[in-house]
Amino acid sequence: MTLLVCATCPRYDPQHSGEFSHALTAGIAEHLGGDKVGIRHVQCLGGCPRDGVVALDGPGKARVRFSRLTVDDTDAILRAAHAHDACFTGVPGDWEIPGTLAGRISSITLKRTAHTPFGAPGGGQAGQGRAPL
């Protein structure tokens, strides 16, 4: 399981840019006490201007992006990551989203797979592949 964490949040506060990813990474390390969770620091997850952005993703699974997170959400982020990882589709509704995160989903991106017909959600037609929020 890999968490994608925005390395520039808060992007529009240059003096503090990058603080979120450092604080969250430290919070996760402290919370896990040695267990490993893959964290990829990425330059942007497109959640601006709502900073504190993390995405859950996996091969063939929906990417679910959360915004307005803080280090206080570490436990909920990890529970969500484990539930997303255990889910075949990654689509919210197919796994339990912690209550404190449910209102902070800012994007759901479905992926085209060999099993989704052209024109179906995630099937590759222009304008498809993103669930409306």
Side-chain angles (χ1 to χ4, degrees), residues 56-128:
L56 308 176
D57 201 356
K61 297 182 182 205
R63 176 182 282 186
V64 181
R65 185 185 70 198
F66 297 91
S67 299
R68 297 175 291 143
L69 301 176
T70 69
V71 158
D72 294 337
D73 297 307
T74 300
D75 182 59
I77 292 166
L78 291 171
R79 283 187 286 123
H82 286 289
H84 180 271
D85 188 51
C87 177
F88 180 74
T89 66
V91 175
D94 291 350
W95 55 281
E96 186 176 342
I97 299 167
T100 59
L101 300 183
R104 293 191 264 176
I105 295 175
S106 56
S107 176
I108 301 166
T109 305
L110 304 176
K111 295 179 182 163
R112 182 179 356 165
T113 67
H115 304 311
T116 47
F118 188 78
Q125 182 176 352
Q128 295 289 329

Side-chain angles (χ1 to χ4, degrees), residues 10-31:
R11 179 180 213 122
Y12 297 115
D13 184 3
Q15 187 174 15
H16 299 286
S17 184
E19 287 182 359
F20 171 72
S21 67
H22 294 298
L24 185 64
T25 300
I28 288 172
E30 188 175 299
H31 183 83

